[in-house]
Amino acid sequence: MASTETTDVKDSRDAKGPDGTADSSGLGSLEAGLDALETVQAHRIPVREVLVKKVLPPLSAVVLVLVVWQVLVSAKVTEEYKLPAPSAVWSSLTDMWLQGTLLDVVWTSVSRGLLGFLLALAIGTPLGLLVARVKFVRAAIGPILSGLQSLPSVAWVPPAVLWLGLNDSMMYAVILLGAVPSIANGLVSGVDQVPPLYLRAGRTLGATGVRGAWHILMPAALPGYLAGLKQGWAFSWRSLMAAEIIASSPDLGLGLGQLLENGRNNSDMPGIFLAIFLILIVGIAIDLLIFSPLERRVLRGRGLLVKG
């Protein structure tokens, strides 16, 4: 017992400084150790691990789809004009490439979609902040935004054609009507999830008005806002495809939607499948190149990303 008491007294003396007060360096080390335990360590993933975990699974899925597709064609489950062989679709792709029209068709739609999305971003962000922070505006416009978000974008094509004619302005109008409500509602959802303590702390530090929205509200609402942006891009892309399919005109140029409609008019099933695959590939590419890196950066900044 005596030796135990002596050890306790020694440990108590070691935890104090020369003046008898608590040793701040010891407490600092303890706090640093606890912080290190709670911090999620992020490190670069080896290339081999990336290939195995991120590249191999989607490639395997694509190969599986192609195999099943070819098996169905070989088994002649339906007529060839209804289900073309993968080789026929590949031939359509190579023909467009050799003619020099493939990249032009893809870029026509991608440039429209990205520009329309940026316009929707510029309108939907301040609108979302206004709806989220002003109760009267929220009561007046909030239900309308939710209703517009659930309205199919194709419904806006006929009135847009009558209002603006067959031109790019009509395309952008349809994109805005489809994407703005999604971006605004995403930001509203993100703002609703911000703890009130953050806003009170910001006001205490003098961050009010536009400064508070920029430095406190927007960073705190970023996860919900980013989800709204991803959904806004999906609505932009779908709205554009609907507009291009319905409002086909030589003056508009040939986009992916027009390519799909031309395949239907010409009963060109390989061309139809090619247009569908190109539309799908563009949507996946935009998500992988733009939104996935943004999402990883947000998660890493909040200590929620284990690896990457």
Side-chain angles (χ1 to χ4, degrees):
M1 291 293 295
S3 60
T4 303
E5 293 178 356
T6 303
T7 303
D8 293 340
V9 171
K10 182 178 180 181
D11 293 341
S12 176
R13 290 176 179 176
D14 292 340
K16 296 182 180 181
D19 56 353
T21 59
D23 188 357
S24 58
S25 62
L27 294 177
S29 301
L30 177 61
E31 293 176 357
L34 293 175
D35 291 340
L37 290 175
E38 295 179 355
T39 302
V40 179
Q41 300 295 330
H43 59 275
R44 185 176 298 277
I45 304 177
V47 176
R48 181 178 180 180
E49 186 176 352
V50 172
L51 293 176
V52 172
K53 292 186 176 181
K54 295 186 177 181
V55 178
L56 186 59
L59 285 180
S60 301
V62 171
V63 172
L64 179 61
V65 169
L66 291 176
V67 170
V68 173
W69 183 2
Q70 184 61 51
V71 169
L72 293 176
V73 172
S74 300
K76 297 182 179 179
V77 296
T78 186
E79 292 82 357
E80 186 177 354
Y81 72 89
K82 292 183 180 179
L83 183 64
S87 58
V89 179
W90 178 257
S91 297
S92 297
L93 176 65
T94 55
D95 289 343
M96 290 189 64
W97 176 262
L98 294 175
Q99 294 171 6
T101 59
L102 180 62
L103 296 181
D104 291 338
V105 171
V106 173
W107 176 245
T108 297
S109 294
V110 171
S111 59
R112 284 175 180 163
L114 291 177
L115 180 57
F117 174 74
L118 292 177
L119 293 174
L121 179 64
I123 297 174
T125 300
L127 179 61
L129 283 175
L130 188 65
V131 171
R133 301 303 295 165
V134 181
K135 293 183 179 180
F136 175 79
V137 176
R138 184 167 191 161
I141 302 180
I144 298 176
L145 288 177
S146 299
L148 290 175
Q149 187 175 358
S150 62
L151 182 68
S153 303
V154 68
W156 290 112
V157 178
V161 171
L162 295 177
W163 291 336
L164 303 172
L166 290 173
N167 50 44
D168 286 336
S169 299
M170 178 273 300
M171 298 284 184
Y172 296 133
V174 174
I175 293 174
L176 291 177
L177 290 169
V180 168
S182 297
I183 296 175
N185 283 330
L187 183 53
V188 171
S189 177
V191 171
D192 289 344
Q193 298 175 16
V194 175
L197 179 62
Y198 290 3
L199 303 179
R200 290 197 296 268
R203 286 193 294 267
T204 302
L205 297 174
T208 58
V210 177
R211 182 180 298 177
W214 179 255
H215 293 286
I216 304 297
L217 197 59
M218 288 296 293
L222 194 55
Y225 181 47
L226 183 58
L229 293 183
K230 294 179 67 174
Q231 192 174 37
W233 162 250
F235 273 84
S236 298
W237 191 236
R238 288 188 292 180
S239 301
L240 176 61
M241 292 301 102
E244 288 186 350
I245 290 173
I246 296 177
S248 297
S249 171
D251 297 333
L252 293 173
L254 183 61
L256 293 175
Q258 290 98 331
L259 181 66
L260 182 61
E261 181 64 12
N262 290 343
R264 185 190 69 84
N265 293 331
N266 299 326
S267 298
D268 180 15
M269 189 58 71
I272 292 175
F273 271 72
L274 175 60
I276 293 174
F277 288 145
L278 291 176
I279 293 170
L280 178 63
I281 289 172
V282 170
I284 295 174
I286 294 297
D287 181 74
L288 293 178
L289 295 177
I290 297 178
F291 294 108
S292 292
L294 284 176
E295 188 173 17
R296 287 196 300 269
R297 183 173 181 179
V298 171
L299 293 176
R300 187 181 296 112
R302 283 161 170 74
L304 301 176
L305 191 64
V306 178
K307 293 181 179 181

